[in-house]
């Protein structure tokens, strides 16, 4: 998911001249990719955490339904800590990968 998301964001922003193909542009795209990855994975992470705590839920579906009764934002509890955990790794990965692409072109 992150690979495709990063590449799509980079392609879209470059084609609209919103960023340059440099470190700042790579940082921007990787920050967006890390945020997108957190948005996509957080609901599953919340359900997994609740199930691992045990006791309250009969099964996966019951957990999803009970969480849904708390409102849609319940699936995003702990978003900021999750984002803080995931985004730096994503940013560093993509900035370093882009530097490696520049140093060792595939053509």
């Amino acid at each position: 998911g992150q690979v495709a998301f990063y590449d799509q964001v980079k392609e879209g922003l470059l084609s609209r001249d919103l960023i340059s193909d440099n470190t700042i542009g790579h940082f921007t795209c990787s920050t967006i990719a890390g945020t997108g990855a957190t948005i996509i994975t957080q609901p599953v992470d919340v359900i997994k955490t609740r199930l691992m705590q045990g006791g309250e839920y009969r099964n996966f579906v019951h957990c999803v339904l009970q969480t849904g009764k708390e409102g849609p934002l319940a699936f995003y509890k702990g978003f900021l800590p999750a984002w803080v955990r995931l985004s730096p790794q994503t940013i560093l990965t993509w900035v370093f990968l882009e530097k490696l692409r520049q140093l060792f072109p595939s053509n």
Side-chain angles (χ1 to χ4, degrees), residues 6 13 18-31 95 99:
Y6 174 81
L13 294 178
L18 296 173
I19 62 164
S20 298
D21 196 5
N22 59 22
T23 303
I24 293 171
H26 303 151
F27 180 87
T28 302
C29 292
S30 59
T31 301
V95 169
K99 287 297 175 196

Side-chain angles (χ1 to χ4, degrees), residues 6 23 26-27 30 90-100:
Y6 174 81
T23 303
H26 303 151
F27 180 87
S30 59
T90 303
I91 292 166
L92 291 174
T93 297
W94 289 111
V95 169
F96 289 146
L97 178 66
E98 291 291 352
K99 287 297 175 196
L100 289 172

Side-chain angles (χ1 to χ4, degrees), residues 49-101:
T49 300
R50 289 178 177 211
L51 287 170
M52 289 176 65
Q53 290 173 346
E56 189 175 337
Y57 305 105
R58 293 188 299 262
N59 55 41
F60 176 80
V61 174
H62 182 247
C63 184
V64 171
L65 292 174
Q66 291 303 110
T67 303
K69 287 180 183 178
E70 296 174 32
L73 292 180
F75 291 100
Y76 290 93
K77 286 186 177 179
F79 179 84
L80 186 58
W83 183 82
V84 168
R85 182 190 73 224
L86 181 62
S87 288
Q89 178 265 329
T90 303
I91 292 166
L92 291 174
T93 297
W94 289 111
V95 169
F96 289 146
L97 178 66
E98 291 291 352
K99 287 297 175 196
L100 289 172
R101 284 180 180 171

